[in-house]
């Protein structure tokens, strides 16, 4: 039987930290909150195999952050770290200050351990929530044709796949 659970958490950083991905831009530091940032986790298992897909509203997930999250999740939930897929939405308005390498500091501002730790905690807690929300599910899909709704933006007469799965 297939089971799945979803967890979601607001991970909006405090006002005043650097935006991730803005580098030396004029508006480098957050002056307010236009919309919240989220971490979302989908936990799926068939009883034998467990996997988690996690999306974070941030520019990148540096190696240090990736390793810390995998270690914490394995300790708290028991899922093997290889069964996690961590990804960032790549927003340039997301949090900064969590990268420790030169290029990360250049694009996200100086490293702040409290921001890094908050991201690890929020992402791990979100995965734990998804695990706790496991319920039986079934997978289905459908297909439909989208004639006239899809176009090739590169070549007006170019190839188009009108099927939507």
């Amino acid at each position: 039987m297939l089971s799945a659970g979803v967890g979601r958490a607001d991970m909006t950083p405090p006002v005043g930290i650097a935006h991730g991905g803005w580098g030396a831009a004029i508006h480098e530091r957050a002056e307010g909150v236009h919309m919240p940032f989220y971490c979302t986790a989908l936990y799926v298992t068939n009883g034998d195999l467990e996997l988690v897909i996690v999306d974070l509203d941030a520019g990148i997930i540096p190696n240090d952050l990736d390793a810390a999250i995998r270690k914490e999740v394995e300790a708290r939930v028991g899922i093997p770290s290889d069964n996690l897929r961590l990804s960032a939405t790549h927003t340039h308005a997301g949090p900064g200050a969590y990268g420790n390498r030169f290029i990360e500091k250049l694009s996200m501002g100086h490293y702040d351990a409290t921001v890094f730790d908050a991201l690890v905690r929020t992402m791990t807690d979100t995965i734990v929530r998804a695990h706790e929300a496991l319920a039986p599910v079934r997978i289905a899909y459908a297909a439909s044709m989208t004639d006239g709704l899809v176009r090739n933006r590169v070549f007006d007469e170019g190839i188009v796949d009108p099927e939507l799965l």
Side-chain angles (χ1 to χ4, degrees), residues 70-100:
R70 289 175 189 279
K71 180 180 177 186
E72 188 70 18
V73 168
E74 195 162 351
R76 287 183 60 190
V77 184
I79 185 170
S81 65
D82 287 346
N83 294 21
L84 297 177
R85 199 246 24 214
L86 305 175
S87 64
T89 60
H90 195 78
T91 175
H92 285 253
Y98 62 92
N100 216 359

Side-chain angles (χ1 to χ4, degrees), residues 78-141:
I79 185 170
S81 65
D82 287 346
N83 294 21
L84 297 177
R85 199 246 24 214
L86 305 175
S87 64
T89 60
H90 195 78
T91 175
H92 285 253
Y98 62 92
N100 216 359
R101 295 192 171 116
F102 173 75
I103 194 70
E104 295 160 358
K105 289 178 183 180
L106 185 64
S107 65
M108 296 191 290
H110 288 285
Y111 178 81
D112 182 336
T114 59
V115 174
F116 181 91
D117 293 343
L119 288 174
V120 172
R121 185 175 52 256
T122 300
M123 291 182 76
T124 303
D125 288 349
T126 303
I127 293 166
V128 169
R129 273 192 221 105
H131 181 259
E132 291 171 347
L134 283 174
V137 296
R138 72 186 169 109
I139 296 177
Y141 80 97

Side-chain angles (χ1 to χ4, degrees), residues 12-82:
T12 306
V15 172
I17 71 162
H19 287 292
W22 283 95
I26 294 169
H27 301 291
E28 182 178 346
R29 301 213 166 264
E31 297 173 356
V33 176
H34 176 68
M35 59 181 23
F37 297 111
Y38 291 98
C39 173
T40 307
L42 171 64
Y43 200 110
V44 181
T45 183
N46 66 1
D48 294 322
L49 176 66
E50 299 173 286
L51 57 98
V52 182
I53 299 169
V54 184
D55 289 319
L56 175 70
D57 285 338
I60 63 171
I61 299 178
N63 292 341
D64 293 348
L65 182 61
D66 181 273
I69 292 163
R70 289 175 189 279
K71 180 180 177 186
E72 188 70 18
V73 168
E74 195 162 351
R76 287 183 60 190
V77 184
I79 185 170
S81 65
D82 287 346

